[in-house]
Amino acid sequence: MSPSPSPAPAPSAAPPAYAERLGLPWWYWLAALGLAGLLATELWMGAAGLRAWLPFVLLLPATVAALWWLGRIRVAVGDGELRVDDARLPVRFVADAVPLDAAGRREVLGVGSDPLAFVVQRPWVGGAVQVVLDDPADPTPFWVVSSRHPVELAAAIMAARDAA
């Protein structure tokens, strides 16, 4: 028997240059679960039998699901694109990426903001990045994306653009 050639390894996707999940702070979880527990206790006190435990069975898992859903957004730069949740922006269309602190984000998203801007903003995340676009076919002038590390995200976007 002749040895058969081994199959070539599948090309692996390069790890993203930047990745972040915009999860909720731990104390949001604590406060929300505490409030759900208090509400369930209030409802428990007014019922008897099986109905007494129903608020706990419904409210606590519903609170966990809602908190998970609020913190599900992922931001990543890799493979020549900026990914925010399910939105994708090829970095070749990026003109500039500006890191913003809380005051800068408030100014960019304030009264004079462009209504055509793409915004993924989470109030529990202080910083953001404004990604200015250079695509004549797209009416969107810029993206504003929340980030806990706006300087690193802006640098990753610009590095990916320069590498492309």
Side-chain angles (χ1 to χ4, degrees):
M1 291 176 74
S2 64
S4 62
S6 61
S12 62
Y18 180 87
E20 173 181 18
R21 189 173 142 262
L22 302 179
L24 292 152
W26 65 269
W27 56 273
Y28 274 43
W29 285 82
L30 187 64
L33 289 171
L35 287 173
L38 283 174
L39 180 60
T41 303
E42 285 291 323
L43 294 172
W44 168 71
M45 293 172 70
L50 178 63
R51 291 181 306 160
W53 297 103
L54 197 57
F56 293 99
V57 171
L58 295 176
L59 286 176
L60 294 178
T63 302
V64 168
L67 291 171
W68 174 85
W69 184 81
L70 285 172
R72 78 191 185 290
I73 300 294
R74 293 187 185 275
V75 177
V77 177
D79 298 330
E81 63 185 10
L82 168 64
R83 293 183 301 277
V84 180
D85 197 18
D86 59 350
R88 304 217 179 313
L89 173 67
V91 292
R92 68 179 180 269
F93 296 121
V94 173
D96 196 12
V98 181
L100 304 170
D101 59 359
R105 183 186 68 190
R106 192 170 31 255
E107 183 178 331
V108 168
L109 298 177
V111 176
S113 179
D114 193 321
L116 296 177
F118 176 79
V119 178
V120 175
Q121 189 265 131
R122 295 295 180 252
W124 55 86
V125 178
V129 174
Q130 180 183 19
V131 181
V132 181
L133 303 182
D134 183 23
D135 183 8
D138 189 358
T140 306
F142 58 87
W143 285 24
V144 177
V145 179
S146 289
S147 175
R148 287 191 173 85
H149 310 285
V151 174
E152 290 88 350
L153 176 57
I157 293 169
M158 296 308 288
R161 183 200 65 180
D162 293 343

